[in-house]
Amino acid sequence: MKSLHHFPLLFLVFSLALATCSSADSHEDFLDCLSSYHPEESSSISRVVYTERNSSYSAILESSIQNRRFSTPSTPKPLVIVTPLNTSHVQTTVHCSKRHGLQIRTRSGGHDFEGLSYVSDVPFVVVDLSQFRSIDVDVENREAWVQSGAITGELYYRINERATNLTFPGAVCHTVGIGGLISGGGYGLLFRKYGLAGDNVIDARLVDVNGRVLDRRSMGEDLFWAIRGGGGGSFGIVLSWKVKLVPIPSTVTVFTVGRTLEQNATQLLHRWQYVAPNLPNDVYSLISISTTNSTETGNRTVLVTFISVFQGSANELMPLMQERFPELGLVRENLIEMTWIESIIFLNRLPNETPEILLNRTYRNTLLSPAFKAKSDYVRKPMPEIALQGLWSQLLEDVATTATMNIVSFGGEMDEIPESALPFPHRKGTLYGIDYNIGWQEEENNNSQRYIDWIRKVYRYMGAFVSKSPREAYVNYRDLDIGRNNDDGKTSYTQASVWGRKYFNKNFDRLVYVKSKTDQENFFRHEQSIPPSFH
């Protein structure tokens, strides 16, 4: 009877051992497949494959983890990391992952807010594109081919090397990967003048679920539309993008002006909501909200920092701001003239003023918390002052000392491009987007729930003042709180539409249609990937 009593335990232990053995077998079979799929390249691919047995495995995995919330001993790790150097390496990885039942997570810059490009709860492989980052600039035709693993800083630098009067309308943050940026649409300093990064892509090369390499013509317009804003990880692995280069002036003008509550920050932010979306397209306008100690009372107070980058001289910007936003009290000494490339360095608060700092893909700003939780919103009607005052009381709570809110003004060219032009729907009528962020030190990961609870509370509070039906969110600011797919890949349209409508609104239906045409078996998937229609 004693042995019978312990039978369930023995069965559980046996089951776990069997599962572990199965995972190990699949892992070894996958490695064998990589070396045998193209025997002539077996030595080549072996040099870009890393398992936990490799001494450099951890360094490669950690190198692009931008959110240290996903760098704990309990965080699931990939069975294998592949750092491809050529197209064949990517094709082989897709073939062998599919054959041996392993998920693929594709990482370019590692900025996924929920770690979806390098974390999974099921056995998986990371395709790390950090070595897949060549850039070919064609000044004469104002075009460039850029591989997905390049960071935006590298692209800005390489274009600037060839022509200081051209650039690409990419992200503000210089370490954001090009692949991830464009996959979510991508907005930055120039989006009010030239649209999103995705609006300025004219071709792409993608490895699909069958290992084929497709360009715009062979993939068709539906798939080309979907990969420029439908979120990464759903349709294949984009190898490279052909992008349009846009003109910039020799001089841009920047200002950063901070105002506390004691300096009428509430009234100024309220007024900004009416002014910023209607400024000329040459103005990028951002507000950063944090807390600081008041110079007057010594108590904590809210600091609202008004930041602008203007494509032109200080002599042009000064009268414009005096006319449109005199309440800010801007003076000539607040305005700093610089080059476009210098403005990127300035806004990223980089320690080195030379452009070469933009090539540093592993640079971490020590002013930012290494681990964080973020959420996003879009606003279509100005918030009343009383709503802002309610927000301040939450920002002044003890738990929120590292909390920030970044508010980016829309309008300009974004009002002119139809919301169906790309999967990114946040166009006409959007006054501004909000990024909520609260951070903590890596050693506090075990106590992170208090911070996460706080940001969720703020998000609930803001529900009355932001977009509705759906409450919109930015897919490049991933947030699993708004919904997620099942791990087994069998997610219904109804379940996925809970989060899908928030990111893509009416465009979600077309994305599901494209997914059904191109990956009916749902091989490329993650917690918020587009599902095929049959699930």
Side-chain angles (χ1 to χ4, degrees):
M1 292 296 291
K2 186 175 181 181
S3 61
L4 288 175
H5 175 74
H6 286 286
F7 179 76
L9 178 59
L10 290 170
F11 180 77
L12 176 60
V13 170
F14 179 75
S15 298
L16 289 173
L18 193 62
T20 303
C21 180
S22 175
S23 176
D25 287 346
S26 142
H27 169 199
E28 294 300 329
D29 290 344
F30 172 78
L31 294 175
D32 289 342
C33 178
L34 289 180
S35 59
S36 62
Y37 187 60
H38 285 302
E40 70 279 6
E41 290 196 2
S42 61
S43 61
S44 165
I45 198 165
S46 67
R47 293 197 297 269
V48 298
V49 174
Y50 303 86
T51 70
E52 291 189 273
R53 294 195 293 265
N54 295 102
S55 58
S56 50
Y57 169 90
S58 293
I60 291 171
L61 178 61
E62 297 282 328
S63 65
S64 295
I65 295 181
Q66 304 291 346
N67 188 348
R68 308 306 287 183
R69 179 157 65 105
F70 304 106
S71 180
T72 69
S74 61
T75 302
K77 306 295 191 294
L79 296 175
V80 180
I81 303 170
V82 181
T83 59
L85 299 175
N86 58 49
T87 299
S88 176
H89 292 162
V90 178
Q91 292 174 292
T92 300
T93 305
V94 169
H95 168 82
C96 294
S97 298
K98 187 177 177 184
R99 181 174 179 178
H100 294 287
L102 299 176
Q103 265 194 24
I104 284 183
R105 297 298 167 105
T106 306
R107 181 169 73 174
S108 51
H111 278 267
D112 189 292
F113 283 7
E114 296 282 10
L116 300 188
S117 61
Y118 51 87
V119 176
S120 175
D121 289 328
V122 300
F124 72 109
V125 175
V126 166
V127 176
D128 184 302
L129 297 173
S130 57
Q131 302 304 311
F132 209 82
R133 60 176 196 261
S134 73
I135 298 168
D136 183 17
V137 178
D138 180 351
V139 173
E140 183 179 352
N141 292 308
R142 294 189 172 186
E143 297 170 350
W145 272 103
V146 53
Q147 289 184 326
S148 285
I151 58 173
T152 53
E154 287 177 297
L155 181 56
Y156 297 151
Y157 180 87
R158 297 305 175 196
I159 297 170
N160 188 69
E161 268 188 323
R162 300 287 308 280
T164 58
N165 64 332
L166 295 174
T167 193
F168 175 69
V172 175
C173 178
H174 81 288
T175 57
V176 168
I178 288 294
L181 173 73
I182 298 175
S183 294
Y187 56 78
L189 288 182
L190 296 172
F191 82 120
R192 296 187 72 251
K193 185 166 186 177
Y194 297 114
L196 304 172
D199 291 319
N200 291 276
V201 173
I202 52 182
D203 204 347
R205 296 179 69 247
L206 168 143
V207 173
D208 75 354
V209 68
N210 297 311
R212 299 176 301 174
V213 179
L214 307 176
D215 61 9
R216 178 175 183 172
R217 182 176 179 181
S218 56
M219 76 175 72
E221 288 302 304
D222 278 338
L223 183 52
F224 183 63
W225 171 86
I227 62 175
R228 294 174 297 139
S234 287
F235 302 100
I237 299 177
V238 181
L239 303 171
S240 55
W241 313 81
K242 187 178 185 180
V243 300
K244 288 190 291 186
L245 307 184
V246 299
I248 47 172
S250 57
T251 300
V252 304
T253 304
V254 177
F255 70 78
T256 62
V257 175
R259 297 287 186 262
T260 63
L261 297 184
E262 296 76 16
Q263 298 168 319
N264 296 323
T266 307
Q267 294 75 21
L268 290 171
L269 174 51
H270 181 259
R271 177 65 185 148
W272 177 91
Q273 298 176 102
Y274 295 88
V275 174
N278 296 303
L279 288 171
N281 297 10
D282 283 321
V283 180
Y284 169 83
S285 187
L286 164 73
I287 282 180
S288 183
I289 302 172
S290 58
T291 57
T292 189
N293 290 326
S294 170
T295 56
E296 299 173 15
T297 66
N299 298 324
R300 273 183 72 213
T301 186
V302 174
L303 174 66
V304 178
T305 303
F306 297 82
I307 304 167
S308 280
V309 179
F310 172 66
Q311 303 299 305
S313 69
N315 288 338
E316 296 171 279
L317 180 59
M318 192 68 207
L320 173 66
M321 296 305 295
Q322 287 175 330
E323 176 191 351
R324 301 287 188 93
F325 198 13
E327 299 89 345
L328 185 58
L330 206 65
V331 296
R332 179 61 181 80
E333 289 71 27
N334 297 135
L335 307 184
I336 307 172
E337 292 185 334
M338 58 184 69
T339 64
W340 156 259
I341 206 81
E342 288 170 342
S343 74
I344 298 295
I345 296 169
F346 178 83
L347 290 176
N348 279 279
R349 295 182 287 182
L350 297 177
N352 191 330
E353 294 183 4
T354 60
E356 284 72 23
I357 189 69
L358 297 176
L359 300 175
N360 186 348
R361 65 187 299 123
T362 60
Y363 174 80
R364 298 186 190 279
N365 193 324
T366 56
L367 298 174
L368 304 177
S369 299
F372 64 89
K373 170 65 181 174
K375 301 178 80 66
S376 64
D377 263 320
Y378 289 93
V379 175
R380 293 178 174 270
K381 293 181 180 179
M383 290 178 62
E385 284 189 30
I386 192 170
L388 296 173
Q389 290 164 358
L391 182 61
W392 304 154
S393 64
Q394 299 183 68
L395 281 166
L396 291 169
E397 293 176 11
D398 290 342
V399 70
T401 55
T402 59
T404 59
M405 287 176 57
N406 290 317
I407 303 178
V408 178
S409 171
F410 275 52
E413 182 64 15
M414 292 296 285
D415 278 347
E416 306 302 319
I417 302 173
E419 67 177 48
S420 60
L422 294 184
F424 183 101
H426 322 290
R427 305 276 193 170
K428 187 174 184 179
T430 299
L431 297 179
Y432 52 86
I434 303 176
D435 165 29
Y436 313 89
N437 189 298
I438 187 165
W440 56 90
Q441 293 303 309
E442 193 170 350
E443 54 268 24
E444 291 185 274
N445 270 329
N446 290 334
N447 194 32
S448 61
Q449 194 59 46
R450 61 196 292 259
Y451 301 106
I452 295 172
D453 289 344
W454 179 87
I455 200 171
R456 287 171 176 167
K457 183 181 71 168
V458 170
Y459 186 75
R460 287 194 298 272
Y461 170 80
M462 289 292 290
F465 312 110
V466 298
S467 59
K468 299 174 179 64
S469 301
R471 182 175 182 175
E472 299 172 60
Y474 181 28
V475 70
N476 270 355
Y477 295 162
R478 289 275 186 201
D479 180 9
L480 292 180
D481 288 352
I482 67 174
R484 59 188 294 157
N485 297 337
N486 300 327
D487 288 340
D488 62 4
K490 295 184 168 78
T491 300
S492 70
Y493 169 87
T494 301
Q495 180 181 343
S497 65
V498 171
W499 58 263
R501 295 284 181 194
K502 292 178 171 66
Y503 288 143
F504 308 115
N505 208 330
K506 296 176 183 177
N507 294 331
F508 181 65
D509 286 347
R510 186 178 175 189
L511 287 169
V512 171
Y513 166 76
V514 176
K515 176 71 171 181
S516 302
K517 281 205 315 178
T518 58
D519 184 12
Q520 181 72 25
E521 298 303 314
N522 204 19
F523 171 69
F524 288 109
R525 67 178 187 270
H526 54 69
E527 289 82 347
Q528 285 186 342
S529 59
I530 304 298
S533 59
F534 82 93
H535 284 307

